[in-house]
Amino acid sequence: QVQLVESGGGLVQPGGSLRLSCAASGRTFGYCMGWFRQAPGKEREYVAAIRWSGGTTRYADSVKGRFTISRDNAKNTVYLQMNSLKPEDTAVYYCKADSSWSRITTTDDGGYWGQGTQVTVSS
């Protein structure tokens, strides 16, 4: 079992920055980690993912160049640094852990999810 707790969300003005954290506990060794988001009335969508080693990352086109995913395995924590935020980035952001790299970017069954943290970008 893996437990995930997100934090760091809040209200920020357009163009601002936030850093989200996802603290993991349980059997996380070797797991890939990902971030997703879900805006009101929309499907949950993939944002970014990172392998256990941290050497490989991938991003949705909508956030490339603005968001950075990283992890600190000693602290069992994954981060999402979000810069140049836009109103369309407003959503609940979720952390996901999965043993499969091919599945980490999907909302398919399998893996573990946190409860989410709200990010609101508004002036």
Side-chain angles (χ1 to χ4, degrees), residues 62-118:
S62 58
V63 306
K64 277 182 183 176
R66 300 189 299 123
F67 291 11
T68 303
I69 188 171
S70 61
R71 66 190 297 167
D72 184 338
N73 289 338
K75 296 181 178 179
N76 277 345
T77 301
V78 63
Y79 305 98
L80 186 69
Q81 178 67 43
M82 305 186 295
N83 299 329
S84 302
L85 282 161
K86 305 174 182 180
E88 51 263 44
D89 294 317
T90 296
V92 178
Y93 283 70
Y94 297 90
C95 181
K96 179 185 178 183
D98 203 306
S99 60
S100 167
W101 180 243
S102 62
R103 199 169 58 205
I104 190 63
T105 59
T106 76
T107 55
D108 293 348
D109 288 344
Y112 301 90
W113 295 89
Q115 293 300 304
T117 185
Q118 176 71 47

